Amino acid sequence: MKHIHKQTPLYDALEAYRNENPISCHVPGHKNGTVFQEKGKLIFQQLLQIDATEVEGLDDLHAPEGAILEAQQLLAQLYNAQKSYFLVNGSTCGNLAMILGNCREGDIVLVQRNCHKSVLHALTLAKATPIFLRTNINEEWGTAEGISVSTVQKALQAYPKTKAIILTYPSYYGIGDNIEAIISLAHKNHVTVLVDEAHGAHFIGREPFLKSSLAYGADYVVQSAHKTLPAMTMGSYLHVNHAVNNYRHVEMYLQMLQSSSPSYPIMASLDLARSYLGTLTDEDLLYTKTTIEEFKRELNEISGIRVLQHKKNSYDILKVTVQIDDAYTGHQLQSALQRYGIYSELADMKNVLLVLPILKVGQTFSYDRIVSGMKDAVSLLKKINKEKQVRPTMLDEVEELTELELSFEEMLNRETKSVPFFQAIDCIIAETIVPYPPGIPYMMKGEKITKKKIANLEQMIQSGTKFHSSSCLDERNIIVYV
Ligand SMILES: Cc1ncc(COP(=O)(O)O)c(C=O)c1O
């Protein structure tokens, strides 16, 4: 198996092409990097030499029969999938294709509430009827975990015509609860299982990583290779499991949604990332694990800093959630860390999330610098904020199962208006409010606005949360249906 994964057919084809010193009389306009704005030439040039197009020997993502086909076959082999695809537009595109290919207008679809916005966009395009399933929250840390099996059971009883379930595994914070039991329950009820595994591209069934939901029988799985593997941004994978009979529709949507000029550097990096993962030795995996454990231990020793210790085994070791003592928010810690050149994945009201790399024996990462930067950041915060602040708490109470008040079709036909927060209570929200990162909708377009939601929104704004939404939240306005 390790041998096979030394192969990198697409990368090799590109390297061979570059070595020919080819003259490009075709797109793209940079002509293999020879024509480029001087200012950026030095940085871009190497990569532009493989930023090719579908010329002889380089295959075609939309009709693969050569190097891309071989590379995708190796990918399927590593994850034990029936078929695997390279995605050049992120898991966003994978989620759209997976959901549009499986859900039709009016279909009832169970959706883990802490889903990425691309899941909601796909459901909107499909005009499906989502039923949102409450996500468990770690009360002490405020982080999203999985969903309870009993919640899925209740939903399947309440909605016996459910067509599909869309799960997010693991959560942004790396928690992967109950996935096996949920997949099995869904299949017993003839429900198709679609998994957004954006944060789990390294789950190939080897310790110390979690298993992929593919291994538990999920029908379709989307992974952002660029999130946890050494792959270029936007590079992702979509896998189809062996039990799926017909994936024609998903493939059709991939053709519609992906560019007809997919990026060869991104695809080559996907080929290399698969090879990197497939050639990890047991020693590499142990090395990755022990360096992370040592790093966490050092962080925990910093006065005022705590590292989330998961009670369960189902968490991803590459995700490290750090909390500073009660006086400060995660956003404050994140900004302080940036002063020392340390950029984290996300901050929320309580925590800062770090995403760590998979290392091979002998490779190093800047763990020492992060530890010393963390110490400096804590001292800085304590100096600046002499007064203890009260950290806002999220008092949200989401019901176990929630429906939208309007169908996606009705939403399209209704007028909207912008109103101040205090006038919005009991109205139906006409925009989705997404704290970013992590990109999980807090208020779903089509839901009723409650007093509590407005109060929590106010707290999030005050604590520095950034949002993707069209309204002027800073001015305390929100868009509602008339
Ligand atoms: C759970 C989840 N799904 C999907 C996505 C979208 O992934 P991509 O950036 O690869 O399009 C993200 C991005 O943050 C995510 O967190």
Side-chain angles (χ1 to χ4, degrees), residues 89-93 95 114-116 118-119 168 170 172 196 198-199 223-224 226-227 234-236 345 436 438-440:
N89 188 18
S91 288
T92 296
C93 162
N95 281 342
N114 62 327
C115 63
H116 185 257
S118 56
V119 169
T168 303
Y172 214 121
D196 175 357
H199 296 271
Q223 299 171 328
S224 293
H226 68 95
K227 291 196 195 297
M234 290 168 76
S236 298
E345 172 66 12
Y436 214 95
I440 295 166

Short mmCIF file of all heavy atoms in Angstrom, two decimals, residues 89-93 95 114-116 118-119 168 170 172 196 198-199 223-224 226-227 234-236 345 436 438-440, ligand 1:
data_model
loop_
_atom_site.label_atom_id
_atom_site.label_comp_id
_atom_site.label_asym_id
_atom_site.label_seq_id
_atom_site.Cartn_x
_atom_site.Cartn_y
_atom_site.Cartn_z
N ASN A 89 -12.78 23.57 -6.22
CA ASN A 89 -13.49 24.72 -5.64
C ASN A 89 -13.94 24.39 -4.22
O ASN A 89 -15.03 24.74 -3.79
CB ASN A 89 -14.67 25.11 -6.52
CG ASN A 89 -15.32 26.40 -6.05
OD1 ASN A 89 -14.70 27.17 -5.30
ND2 ASN A 89 -16.54 26.63 -6.44
N GLY A 90 -13.09 23.68 -3.51
CA GLY A 90 -13.31 23.44 -2.10
C GLY A 90 -14.43 22.45 -1.80
O GLY A 90 -15.12 21.95 -2.69
N SER A 91 -14.60 22.21 -0.50
CA SER A 91 -15.71 21.38 -0.05
C SER A 91 -17.02 22.09 -0.32
O SER A 91 -18.08 21.46 -0.39
CB SER A 91 -15.59 21.09 1.45
OG SER A 91 -14.53 20.20 1.66
N THR A 92 -16.97 23.39 -0.49
CA THR A 92 -18.16 24.15 -0.85
C THR A 92 -18.80 23.52 -2.09
O THR A 92 -19.99 23.20 -2.11
CB THR A 92 -17.75 25.62 -1.13
OG1 THR A 92 -17.24 26.16 0.08
CG2 THR A 92 -18.90 26.45 -1.65
N CYS A 93 -17.98 23.31 -3.10
CA CYS A 93 -18.47 22.74 -4.36
C CYS A 93 -18.87 21.27 -4.16
O CYS A 93 -19.87 20.81 -4.70
CB CYS A 93 -17.38 22.91 -5.40
SG CYS A 93 -17.53 21.89 -6.80
N ASN A 95 -20.02 19.88 -1.39
CA ASN A 95 -21.31 19.84 -0.69
C ASN A 95 -22.45 20.16 -1.64
O ASN A 95 -23.50 19.51 -1.62
CB ASN A 95 -21.31 20.85 0.47
CG ASN A 95 -20.56 20.33 1.69
OD1 ASN A 95 -20.33 19.13 1.82
ND2 ASN A 95 -20.17 21.22 2.58
N ASN A 114 -25.19 22.66 13.05
CA ASN A 114 -23.93 23.39 12.91
C ASN A 114 -23.25 23.07 11.57
O ASN A 114 -22.08 22.77 11.49
CB ASN A 114 -22.97 23.08 14.06
CG ASN A 114 -22.57 21.63 14.13
OD1 ASN A 114 -23.35 20.76 13.80
ND2 ASN A 114 -21.36 21.35 14.57
N CYS A 115 -24.08 23.17 10.52
CA CYS A 115 -23.52 22.86 9.19
C CYS A 115 -22.87 24.09 8.60
O CYS A 115 -23.13 25.23 9.02
CB CYS A 115 -24.63 22.36 8.27
SG CYS A 115 -25.89 23.59 7.96
N HIS A 116 -22.06 23.87 7.60
CA HIS A 116 -21.43 24.99 6.88
C HIS A 116 -22.48 25.63 5.97
O HIS A 116 -23.42 24.98 5.53
CB HIS A 116 -20.27 24.45 6.05
CG HIS A 116 -19.49 25.52 5.36
ND1 HIS A 116 -19.61 25.80 4.01
CD2 HIS A 116 -18.57 26.40 5.83
CE1 HIS A 116 -18.79 26.79 3.69
NE2 HIS A 116 -18.15 27.17 4.77
N SER A 118 -22.45 26.29 2.96
CA SER A 118 -22.60 25.67 1.64
C SER A 118 -23.70 24.60 1.66
O SER A 118 -24.35 24.35 0.64
CB SER A 118 -21.28 25.05 1.17
OG SER A 118 -20.79 24.14 2.13
N VAL A 119 -23.91 23.98 2.82
CA VAL A 119 -24.97 22.98 2.95
C VAL A 119 -26.33 23.68 2.77
O VAL A 119 -27.22 23.21 2.05
CB VAL A 119 -24.89 22.27 4.33
CG1 VAL A 119 -26.12 21.44 4.61
CG2 VAL A 119 -23.62 21.42 4.39
N THR A 168 -22.14 16.76 9.78
CA THR A 168 -20.86 17.46 9.75
C THR A 168 -19.95 16.71 10.71
O THR A 168 -20.23 16.64 11.91
CB THR A 168 -21.02 18.92 10.21
OG1 THR A 168 -21.99 19.54 9.38
CG2 THR A 168 -19.70 19.67 10.13
N PRO A 170 -15.70 15.76 11.46
CA PRO A 170 -15.95 16.15 12.83
C PRO A 170 -16.39 17.61 12.87
O PRO A 170 -16.43 18.27 11.82
CB PRO A 170 -14.56 16.01 13.47
CG PRO A 170 -13.62 16.37 12.36
CD PRO A 170 -14.27 15.87 11.10
N TYR A 172 -15.98 21.66 13.75
CA TYR A 172 -14.84 22.54 13.51
C TYR A 172 -13.78 22.36 14.59
O TYR A 172 -12.58 22.46 14.35
CB TYR A 172 -15.32 24.00 13.49
CG TYR A 172 -14.57 24.89 12.54
CD1 TYR A 172 -15.24 25.57 11.51
CD2 TYR A 172 -13.20 25.05 12.65
CE1 TYR A 172 -14.54 26.39 10.64
CE2 TYR A 172 -12.51 25.87 11.77
CZ TYR A 172 -13.18 26.53 10.77
OH TYR A 172 -12.50 27.34 9.90
N ASP A 196 -20.41 15.98 5.39
CA ASP A 196 -19.44 17.06 5.18
C ASP A 196 -18.29 16.78 6.15
O ASP A 196 -18.38 17.08 7.34
CB ASP A 196 -20.11 18.40 5.47
CG ASP A 196 -19.12 19.55 5.40
OD1 ASP A 196 -17.92 19.30 5.19
OD2 ASP A 196 -19.56 20.70 5.57
N ALA A 198 -15.28 18.03 5.95
CA ALA A 198 -14.29 19.02 5.49
C ALA A 198 -13.03 18.99 6.35
O ALA A 198 -11.93 19.19 5.85
CB ALA A 198 -14.90 20.41 5.50
N HIS A 199 -13.22 18.74 7.64
CA HIS A 199 -12.07 18.80 8.55
C HIS A 199 -11.42 17.44 8.78
O HIS A 199 -10.62 17.29 9.71
CB HIS A 199 -12.49 19.43 9.88
CG HIS A 199 -12.92 20.86 9.72
ND1 HIS A 199 -12.03 21.90 9.81
CD2 HIS A 199 -14.11 21.40 9.38
CE1 HIS A 199 -12.67 23.03 9.57
NE2 HIS A 199 -13.94 22.76 9.30
N GLN A 223 -14.35 16.11 1.63
CA GLN A 223 -13.24 16.49 2.53
C GLN A 223 -12.44 17.65 1.94
O GLN A 223 -12.10 17.62 0.76
CB GLN A 223 -12.26 15.31 2.70
CG GLN A 223 -12.87 14.07 3.31
CD GLN A 223 -11.91 12.89 3.25
OE1 GLN A 223 -11.12 12.80 2.31
NE2 GLN A 223 -11.99 12.00 4.22
N SER A 224 -12.11 18.62 2.78
CA SER A 224 -11.23 19.71 2.33
C SER A 224 -9.79 19.25 2.55
O SER A 224 -9.26 19.38 3.65
CB SER A 224 -11.45 20.98 3.16
OG SER A 224 -12.69 21.53 2.94
N HIS A 226 -7.28 20.72 1.70
CA HIS A 226 -6.46 21.89 2.04
C HIS A 226 -6.53 22.27 3.52
O HIS A 226 -5.72 23.05 3.98
CB HIS A 226 -6.87 23.09 1.17
CG HIS A 226 -8.25 23.63 1.45
ND1 HIS A 226 -8.46 24.67 2.30
CD2 HIS A 226 -9.47 23.25 0.99
CE1 HIS A 226 -9.76 24.94 2.34
NE2 HIS A 226 -10.40 24.09 1.56
N LYS A 227 -7.50 21.73 4.25
CA LYS A 227 -7.59 22.13 5.66
C LYS A 227 -6.57 21.42 6.55
O LYS A 227 -5.95 22.04 7.39
CB LYS A 227 -9.01 21.89 6.19
CG LYS A 227 -10.05 22.82 5.59
CD LYS A 227 -11.32 22.81 6.40
CE LYS A 227 -12.48 23.42 5.67
NZ LYS A 227 -12.35 24.84 5.34
N MET A 234 -8.45 25.48 -1.56
CA MET A 234 -9.53 25.08 -2.47
C MET A 234 -9.44 23.59 -2.88
O MET A 234 -10.43 23.03 -3.36
CB MET A 234 -9.63 25.95 -3.73
CG MET A 234 -10.13 27.35 -3.38
SD MET A 234 -9.99 28.55 -4.67
CE MET A 234 -11.33 28.13 -5.74
N GLY A 235 -8.31 22.98 -2.71
CA GLY A 235 -8.17 21.57 -3.09
C GLY A 235 -8.96 20.68 -2.13
O GLY A 235 -8.73 20.71 -0.93
N SER A 236 -9.88 19.89 -2.67
CA SER A 236 -10.74 19.03 -1.83
C SER A 236 -11.01 17.71 -2.54
O SER A 236 -10.67 17.55 -3.72
CB SER A 236 -12.06 19.75 -1.53
OG SER A 236 -11.81 20.92 -0.80
N GLU A 345 -6.68 29.63 13.72
CA GLU A 345 -7.75 29.28 12.79
C GLU A 345 -9.00 30.08 13.07
O GLU A 345 -9.63 30.61 12.17
CB GLU A 345 -8.04 27.77 12.88
CG GLU A 345 -9.25 27.28 12.12
CD GLU A 345 -9.12 27.41 10.61
OE1 GLU A 345 -8.00 27.66 10.12
OE2 GLU A 345 -10.15 27.29 9.92
N TYR A 436 -18.12 34.18 11.22
CA TYR A 436 -17.08 33.60 10.36
C TYR A 436 -15.68 33.96 10.86
O TYR A 436 -15.39 35.11 11.00
CB TYR A 436 -17.25 34.13 8.94
CG TYR A 436 -16.87 33.10 7.94
CD1 TYR A 436 -17.83 32.28 7.38
CD2 TYR A 436 -15.55 32.89 7.59
CE1 TYR A 436 -17.49 31.29 6.48
CE2 TYR A 436 -15.20 31.90 6.70
CZ TYR A 436 -16.18 31.11 6.14
OH TYR A 436 -15.84 30.13 5.25
N PRO A 438 -16.54 30.16 12.41
CA PRO A 438 -16.37 28.94 11.62
C PRO A 438 -17.32 28.81 10.43
O PRO A 438 -17.30 27.79 9.78
CB PRO A 438 -16.69 27.85 12.65
CG PRO A 438 -17.71 28.44 13.54
CD PRO A 438 -17.39 29.91 13.61
N GLY A 439 -18.12 29.81 10.13
CA GLY A 439 -18.99 29.67 8.97
C GLY A 439 -20.23 28.84 9.23
O GLY A 439 -20.81 28.28 8.31
N ILE A 440 -20.61 28.73 10.48
CA ILE A 440 -21.82 27.96 10.82
C ILE A 440 -22.96 28.96 11.08
O ILE A 440 -22.80 29.86 11.91
CB ILE A 440 -21.58 27.11 12.08
CG1 ILE A 440 -20.52 26.06 11.80
CG2 ILE A 440 -22.87 26.45 12.55
CD1 ILE A 440 -19.97 25.40 13.04
C1 LIG B 1 -17.58 22.16 8.05
C2 LIG B 1 -17.18 22.85 6.79
N1 LIG B 1 -17.68 22.43 5.62
C3 LIG B 1 -17.35 23.00 4.45
C4 LIG B 1 -16.50 24.08 4.42
C5 LIG B 1 -16.15 24.69 3.11
O1 LIG B 1 -14.91 24.19 2.74
P1 LIG B 1 -14.02 24.83 1.58
O2 LIG B 1 -13.35 26.01 2.18
O3 LIG B 1 -13.08 23.72 1.24
O4 LIG B 1 -14.91 25.20 0.47
C6 LIG B 1 -15.94 24.55 5.61
C7 LIG B 1 -15.03 25.71 5.60
O5 LIG B 1 -14.64 26.27 6.58
C8 LIG B 1 -16.30 23.94 6.83
O6 LIG B 1 -15.79 24.35 7.99
#
